[in-house]
Amino acid sequence: MRSWFAPGQPFLNYPSASNLRWLREAGFELAESHDPAAIPEDRARQIADAFGLFGSPERCAERLLQAQAEAGVEHVFLFPAHDLAGGYTMPEAELQAFAKVIRPKLGG
């Protein structure tokens, strides 16, 4: 939330600034040209919770269980976060975390 996807492009503007529209709907007003580093840490955590799953595998599993209990969520699309510098390499650590921690906690 507080980083750049690429120089001049905040992470939250990737793949497009339309992310900011949905965040506005959730109560987070961010300008398209916002400085990610200027977002206070506590606000960044709130934005992360509204934007997707971020954190330890245990935290992600807890949030998925919470979404199921509170909103009846049954299906999710997992898309590991990345930046331009890291490219599109396979997210091995995230895949392992899902297989070893998240999936078992979800009963799968």
Side-chain angles (χ1 to χ4, degrees):
M1 305 311 108
R2 301 181 69 217
S3 64
W4 298 91
F5 173 76
Q9 183 179 16
F11 172 77
L12 290 172
N13 290 23
Y14 176 79
S16 77
S18 66
N19 292 335
L20 301 179
R21 177 187 185 276
W22 299 111
L23 285 170
R24 258 191 309 281
E25 292 292 325
F28 301 99
E29 191 69 41
L30 294 167
E32 193 169 331
S33 61
H34 71 277
D35 175 2
I39 300 172
E41 185 64 34
D42 61 327
R43 190 69 167 166
R45 283 192 202 102
Q46 294 169 345
I47 292 169
D49 279 347
F51 192 63
L53 291 174
F54 294 90
S56 69
E58 294 79 11
R59 169 89 170 122
C60 290
E62 290 169 13
R63 294 286 292 147
L64 286 169
L65 290 169
Q66 181 181 6
Q68 182 182 39
E70 293 177 3
V73 171
E74 294 182 8
H75 302 281
V76 296
F77 174 78
L78 299 177
F79 186 82
H82 62 278
D83 61 17
L84 188 62
Y88 295 97
T89 58
M90 284 302 290
E92 294 298 331
E94 290 84 352
L95 291 171
Q96 288 300 315
F98 185 82
K100 293 181 177 180
V101 178
I102 298 171
R103 186 179 219 169
K105 287 187 177 286
L106 300 177

